Amino acid sequence: MPHPRALLTWSAAALAAGLLSTNPWHRALLLGAALNVSIALRRHDSTIAPLLAGLGFATVIALFINIVASHAGVHVLVVLPSPVQGFGGPVTLESIVYGATTALGIAAALSAAAPVALVLEGDDLVDALPRRLERTGAAVGSALTLIPRLMRSVSDIRDAQRLRGLPTASRAGIHTVLLPALLTAVEDSVQLAEAMEVRGFGGAPRQRWRSAPLSVADIAVMTAAVTAIGLAVVARWSGTLIDWYPFPAVTTPAVPLVSVVVAVLLLVPVFVWRAP
């Protein structure tokens, strides 16, 4: 199983590398590497569907905002009416391409952070943080486990309501699922707080049953991640990795060689780690 600190190092490197350039090839390569890591190493009790849904939603929002609010570019495709000041007007090919590039950047950032929730358990994240941040780690770990538990609760309640013959798909039947799910989430939070109080959380420094050492595979992943972000920073500083904009007219972006190397280095976890 991946060491939490090694995975956090990889995630931070992938996130930082994705923010260094607006080149769509650079972002697409890092997005592909991050998705491969999430799919290959995710826990058996976690699903990739919420991540894909979030990526699709972010793409739609980025495209919509650029289409209705950005009017730069020379290739006008259609002119939209403007009922509200600032929205509507000419829709250009350049604004659509820029919206797609922005969506790629958001998707790459989300995918870089996704393995933290899909691969690690909440207590693994707490153990990975220093003792000074144990309270922060407990809060973050609890938050990471909230959404998967809520999704499972919604699925179980929907199945139970269907067995009772109650509608769940229609707008009128949504409350038959959401209200019990909300009450269940509140009850789970109260139980978690009581369990932490019984165990004396905050009364003394946190103790560990054992500290998992870094394996050779963990060190290889951390080395590859640090090398990847180092190459990206050097390429950015030297001008090899530059930004790309479709304005005033769309041009074909070049494929940065350093982006290919960075993406390959970020794929190291797929080959050296086994899925939990």
Side-chain angles (χ1 to χ4, degrees), residues 76 96 106 155 163 214:
V76 179
I96 296 177
I106 297 174
S155 178
L163 290 176
L214 289 170

Side-chain angles (χ1 to χ4, degrees), residues 10-265:
W10 178 93
S11 183
L15 179 60
L19 298 175
L20 283 177
S21 175
T22 60
N23 187 296
W25 290 112
H26 176 80
R27 291 179 169 180
L29 287 169
L30 298 188
L31 171 61
L35 284 179
N36 270 279
V37 172
S38 295
I39 294 173
L41 300 178
R42 63 184 177 88
R43 302 187 311 272
H44 294 307
D45 62 340
S46 62
T47 175
I48 203 73
L51 173 61
L52 297 179
L55 297 182
F57 179 76
T59 300
V60 171
I61 293 299
L63 284 173
F64 175 77
I65 291 176
N66 277 274
I67 288 174
V68 301
S70 177
H71 314 300
V74 298
H75 297 90
V76 179
L77 301 179
V78 68
V79 178
L80 299 177
S82 181
V84 180
Q85 183 66 28
F87 291 89
V91 176
T92 63
L93 176 62
E94 287 76 15
S95 65
I96 296 177
V97 172
Y98 187 70
T101 305
T102 303
L104 270 178
I106 297 174
L110 292 176
S111 299
V116 177
L118 295 176
V119 178
L120 296 180
E121 297 282 0
D123 55 343
D124 295 330
L125 183 61
V126 176
D127 290 337
L129 296 177
R131 289 187 179 274
R132 293 181 180 274
L133 297 177
E134 60 183 12
R135 292 178 180 271
T136 303
V140 174
S142 301
L144 287 176
T145 59
L146 175 62
I147 295 179
R149 285 159 48 193
L150 183 61
M151 296 298 293
R152 287 194 295 267
S153 177
V154 169
S155 178
D156 293 341
I157 292 172
R158 184 188 295 115
D159 293 339
Q161 300 293 48
R162 286 175 179 173
L163 290 176
R164 295 184 177 94
L166 297 176
T168 58
S170 63
R171 182 179 301 179
I174 291 179
H175 71 278
T176 62
V177 176
L178 293 183
L179 183 58
L182 178 61
L183 295 177
T184 302
V186 173
E187 183 180 356
D188 291 343
S189 300
V190 172
Q191 291 179 354
L192 176 61
E194 292 175 349
M196 294 173 69
E197 184 178 1
V198 169
R199 289 171 173 81
F201 177 78
R206 188 174 189 272
Q207 298 179 350
R208 294 177 175 86
W209 175 52
R210 64 177 181 178
S211 297
L214 289 170
S215 64
V216 176
D218 299 327
I219 296 175
V221 170
M222 296 177 71
T223 303
V226 172
T227 304
I229 186 59
L231 285 175
V233 170
V234 171
R236 178 71 180 183
W237 176 76
S238 63
T240 306
L241 183 63
I242 60 176
D243 289 332
W244 176 87
Y245 296 99
F247 307 109
V250 175
T251 57
T252 303
V255 182
L257 179 59
V258 66
S259 300
V260 179
V261 177
V262 169
V264 171
L265 288 173

